[in-house]
Each structure stands twice: as C-alpha cells, then as structure tokens.
Amino acid sequence: MQVNHDTTSDAPASHTRSTEHESGSMPDVRKSLSRHMLTKGMMEMVLDMDESHGVILRDKHSGREYVDLFGFYASSPLGMNHPELTDDEGFRKRLLDAAVNKVTNSDVITKHMGRFVDTFSRVGIPEYLPYTFFISGGALAVENALKTAFDWKVRKNHEKGYRREVGHKVLHFDQAFHGRSGYTMSLTNTADPRKTMYFPKFDWPRITNPKVHFPIDADETARVAKHEDMAIRQAEQAFREHRDEIACVILEPIQGEGGDNHFRPEFLHRLRDLAHENDALLIFDEVQSGVGITGEFWAHQSLGVQPDIIAFGKKTQVCGILAGRKLDEVDDHVFKTPSRINSTWGGNLVDMVRFDRILEIIEDHDLVGHAGQVGAHLQKRLHELEDDFSVVDNVRGRGLMCAFDLSTVEIRDAVREHTFKEGAIVLGCGHRSIRFRSPLTITEDEIDRGVACLRRALETVTTKPTAQAHS
C-alpha cells in the first residue's frame, strides 16, 4: 500500500481546530451534540466550567448567572470550583496521577485508594456498617446491595434445608426510585413511566408508602398511623404469600424522585423488625439522601434506624454499598468470597481521590452541621411562600433536602420554568412537587437570592399572592 505523505488535505481541519482553541471561540455546543444525542430536555445554558463558582452557575453563552438549588441532581457536595480543591497542589497532583492511568481497583491496590478508604472510614462510614464495596453508578450500587441480600437469603434457606435456590424477591414501595438498570427497574415506579416502560421487569411484591403530609398535627398523626398499619399488613401478607422468598426490604429513607416523601421513624422501626422476623435484610437507598444534606451524614442517622445495608452515590462521587454484621449470620457471604460482587474498575480511582479531599473539607468545615443550620433557614423561607401563596403547601424537609407541593402539575412546571428565567435552578419530583438539592456550602444569603427568584416566578404564574409578600 502506498503511503501518501502529502498532508495538505488534512490541513484545513487541523487548522480549524487549532484556531478555535487558540482564539477561545466556541462552536454551537447544542448543535454539535444534537447531531448525535437527544438534547431535548437539557437546560438552556452551556455551563461555564471556569467562571462558575460555589452555587452560582454561569452560562458561557449569555453570561447569565443562576443560583444552583438542584446541585446536579444532588451530586454536588461543594459546588463549583471550591478553592480548597482548585488551589490545593497536593490534591491536584493526586488527581492527575489517578487520571493518567485508569487502574482496576477491583484487584490492584494503590496508595490513593488506601488514603481514600481511611478518610471515608473516619468521616462517613458508621461503625455498624463495616463492609464496603465500590462501583460506578448509583443504580449499580443498589443492584449490588440486592445481590448481597440474595446471596445471604439463599444461604439462609440452604441452612433451613432447601436444596434449590430460594430467596430472589424484593419487597419495595410505591413511588420508589432505585435506578434504571436490570434489577432496579423492577423497583422504580415514580410518576414518570418513561423510565421503565417496555423494559422487562420482575414481579416483585410492592406495598403502599405511608408518607407524611406536613404539618403534622393530631389529625395527620392519626391518618398516617392508619396508613402505616395498612403498609405493615401488606408487608406481612407479602411475607406469607412468598414464604422464604423475600431476601430484603428496600426503601429510600426519604423518597426523592417519587415526590420527596417522608416517613415517620416509628414506621421504619416496625419495618426493620418485620424484615428481621422474616429473615430479610433492611436496605436503605441513600444514593440521594446521603453525605450531609439532611444535617446528618446519612439520612437514616437522623431517623434513628440502623439498616443492614445502604447504597450510596451522587455526592460520594464514587458509588457503592456499606453493609453490617447481620451478614455474618451465614458463612461465605459476598464480602468473604472473592468475585461474588465485583466489576472491572471497582469504582473510579479519580472519583475516589476527589471524594477523599471532599470528605476532608466536609470534616474541616463541619459542612454536615452547616447543612442542618442553613436547611432550617431554607425551610423558614419556604414556609413564608406557603403563607403567601395559596397554591403552595406541604412544605417539608430535613436539612437542605427540602420540597413543597403546588396545586397542579401544570402550575408546578410553569413555576419551575419561570424560576429558571428569574435566575435559579430547581427541580420537580413526584406529581406536583418542587425539590431542593443545593450543595452543602450554600449560605443563607444565597438561599434568599434563590428563593427570591422562586417568589417572582410564583407571582408571575399565580398573579395573585394571598398575602403581603415578606421582605
């Protein structure tokens, strides 16, 4: 084959690329992406990665700034370009070292991973959840929590005398969101059917979710207690119908995508007792509620209920599970037998290095306590909106993990859209809720700035506030 050494045909494309980079000009990003990707639904902004800072996100095209009340879907712990990340030369060197060569954490030990696990153990791993597994993706974290439970339950049933494999069902809840992968699609059932429709699913038992409506007065306490009794009866019936088949009960301690639904600690205690009475594990999906957003490092700590396994992700950057000593009731469970749960990468080392430093910053600045304090301020501002606008109710939250309902889905969607136009980013969830997922670093002044955008949006959409606006 003859090699053509004449490079003139390549020159225009190469020259174009060089000129774009050197001049700082930027192509139409949305047009470029749209040639190969579905961009419908993406935000009408191009994130300026350099100029965005903290909870202030800058649009590279327009120069407009937005208050980040969505936190990249609860995955941003510190906001953009935190100075203790960008100015820390030691951290940047470790990050580059981990990024240049992508190693398989599943079977290759590095000092970076050892440093990360030490920091995570000190700052975020509870003593009662000593076993740890890392993987990339929150849904895959949940999947491996389920696999851990299946393995444990089948071994339990072998001890009972079963010769075949029994123990492959999962008890779960209405309005749950646990991901979009193989096992998790059988559990996810939020208001948006597009997430799971037409994909094959297991017929696993599902029960009602006795969520609380706020404020909690005597009538609401009586109502929710009755709903809890119904849920427990349904769970008991499921255990009877699927004798020895249910490996675990899984629940988000605060349901996120399904509507920011809260549960009383009394109910969670009953649920855990029922699971253990039936040789099933209690799994909390803390992918969205973990890492300080509720004012405790894990949401279940603020509720006083210890699970057997938690799945984590989002703010942790690297995802995975933590598991407790109840697994030791069987021999050779997945944390004692190599390759029962595993992946090529075993999580991403770059993510581990980043989260290692994030954990140190969270610890040094008590950002978990800060989230509890500024979260109380956010809830106060949301209650003011509830007082002033008849379409707003059911204000709720723990720490910065807050939400409220609007009277219709149409009003909710219009308020969300107008809030963006006013300069803040919020998310919807459930049928008609607005949720808040800001980074832990947000200040009271930044909350006020964001809520002011929300207030203007409500005024635009409703036109008639029911009371004098708060100053």
Side-chain angles (χ1 to χ4, degrees), residues 84-125:
E84 292 185 48
L85 295 180
T86 58
D87 299 342
D88 185 331
E89 290 300 322
F91 161 68
R92 290 168 68 90
K93 182 180 183 302
R94 292 194 303 275
L95 195 69
L96 179 62
D97 192 36
V100 169
N101 299 290
K102 185 169 182 176
V103 301
T104 55
N105 297 302
S106 57
D107 60 358
V108 175
I109 295 172
T110 61
K111 64 180 181 180
H112 298 312
M113 188 175 184
R115 187 184 196 275
F116 156 64
V117 172
D118 277 346
T119 306
F120 194 16
S121 178
R122 184 182 72 251
V123 181
I125 298 180

Side-chain angles (χ1 to χ4, degrees), residues 47-48 51-58 64-68 79-80 423 446 449:
L47 181 66
D48 191 325
E51 295 300 321
S52 296
H53 56 93
V55 302
I56 305 302
L57 306 183
R58 184 180 176 87
R64 287 200 66 195
E65 292 184 342
Y66 299 87
V67 181
D68 176 11
M80 293 290 293
E446 289 165 338
R449 177 176 168 181

Side-chain angles (χ1 to χ4, degrees), residues 230-243:
M230 178 188 299
I232 293 297
R233 288 196 301 272
Q234 291 177 358
E236 290 171 338
Q237 181 64 25
F239 278 114
R240 285 192 295 269
E241 291 178 358
H242 306 283
R243 180 178 173 82

Side-chain angles (χ1 to χ4, degrees), residues 4 6 13 70 105 165 197-198 209 295 381 398 401 403:
N4 183 2
D6 182 359
F70 90 113
N105 297 302
E165 293 183 10
M197 63 188 294
Y198 306 146
N209 56 333
R381 288 290 181 251
R398 284 187 179 272
M401 190 169 181

Side-chain angles (χ1 to χ4, degrees), residues 60 62 123 133 197 237 281 412 449 464:
K60 196 168 184 67
S62 68
V123 181
F133 170 77
M197 63 188 294
Q237 181 64 25
L281 299 176
R412 189 274 307 277
R449 177 176 168 181
K464 293 181 180 179

Side-chain angles (χ1 to χ4, degrees), residues 202-256:
F202 292 103
D203 184 19
W204 287 339
R206 180 179 299 166
I207 65 174
T208 187
N209 56 333
K211 59 188 178 184
V212 179
H213 189 283
F214 293 84
I216 304 177
D217 55 18
D219 288 342
E220 174 59 15
T221 298
R223 185 203 66 79
V224 77
K226 185 176 180 180
H227 196 178
E228 289 168 355
D229 289 341
M230 178 188 299
I232 293 297
R233 288 196 301 272
Q234 291 177 358
E236 290 171 338
Q237 181 64 25
F239 278 114
R240 285 192 295 269
E241 291 178 358
H242 306 283
R243 180 178 173 82
D244 292 333
E245 292 185 291
I246 298 174
C248 57
V249 179
I250 188 168
L251 177 66
E252 302 153 85
I254 302 172
Q255 288 182 324

Side-chain angles (χ1 to χ4, degrees), residues 385-393 405-407 462 464-467:
L385 295 180
E386 187 175 31
D387 291 341
D388 293 348
F389 295 90
S390 61
V391 295
V392 176
D393 84 328
D405 290 349
L406 287 159
S407 54
T462 63
K464 293 181 180 179
T466 60

